[in-house]
Amino acid sequence: MARGLRIGLWITAVGVAAIAAGLAVLLLDAFSEVLAHPGISLVDGYQIGRLPWTAIGVDLVVLGSTVAVLGGTAASWLAGGALRRLISVVPLAVAGFWVFLAVIESGTEGAFCATCAQPGFDPTTVAYSAPEQATLLLILPAAISALIAAEAIRGRN
């Protein structure tokens, strides 16, 4: 296996591990809130959003998803094959669309105050505020990109 492909696959694996760690942190944090407040759901526990754990979990998921998509796309391109390359661009484009939406949503936070400084790009806040959007447009493409990259191993052997 070529050295560049191996590095791309390792980067993808690190991204997937970060996603798993972030999701585990978020689940454990939400579960601790359920234990502390009987009668609430895991979604309610997530929405309480205790610091620093919620921020750590969301940061790991966003960073891991970004790394997995980029690493998976790079590994797919290095593995070769026109169809694999074409398919690998789709998750990258979807994740790029999420970033585009996150930039737009980050810029509208301070829209009600004309004299206030506008906030900068904050993907963590966007992912925390719209977890369904982050799941469909960031985590799922990262998983698909990782699967395409993993298929490259099978295709090379």
Side-chain angles (χ1 to χ4, degrees), residues 24-71:
V25 167
L26 291 172
L27 181 64
L28 290 173
D29 184 42
F31 187 67
S32 72
E33 292 298 331
V34 169
L35 292 177
H37 309 292
I40 68 170
S41 68
L42 281 175
V43 174
D44 295 333
Y46 169 80
Q47 290 175 348
I48 290 173
R50 301 275 182 192
L51 292 175
W53 298 111
T54 301
I56 290 170
V58 174
D59 281 342
L60 281 171
V61 168
V62 170
L63 183 63
S65 296
T66 304
V67 167
V69 166
L70 293 175

Side-chain angles (χ1 to χ4, degrees), residues 4-5 8-9 11-12 65-81 84-96 141-142 144-150 152:
L5 176 59
L9 292 171
I11 290 171
T12 305
S65 296
T66 304
V67 167
V69 166
L70 293 175
T73 303
S76 296
W77 276 76
L78 291 172
R84 182 181 296 121
R85 288 178 178 171
L86 180 66
I87 292 172
S88 71
V89 173
V90 174
L92 180 66
V94 172
I144 292 169
S145 185
L147 288 173
I148 294 169

Side-chain angles (χ1 to χ4, degrees), residues 97-99 101-102 105 126-127 130-139:
F97 181 66
W98 180 84
V99 172
L101 291 177
E105 290 175 16
V126 174
E132 300 89 358
Q133 177 183 339
T135 301
L136 290 175
L137 299 177
L138 191 63
I139 299 172

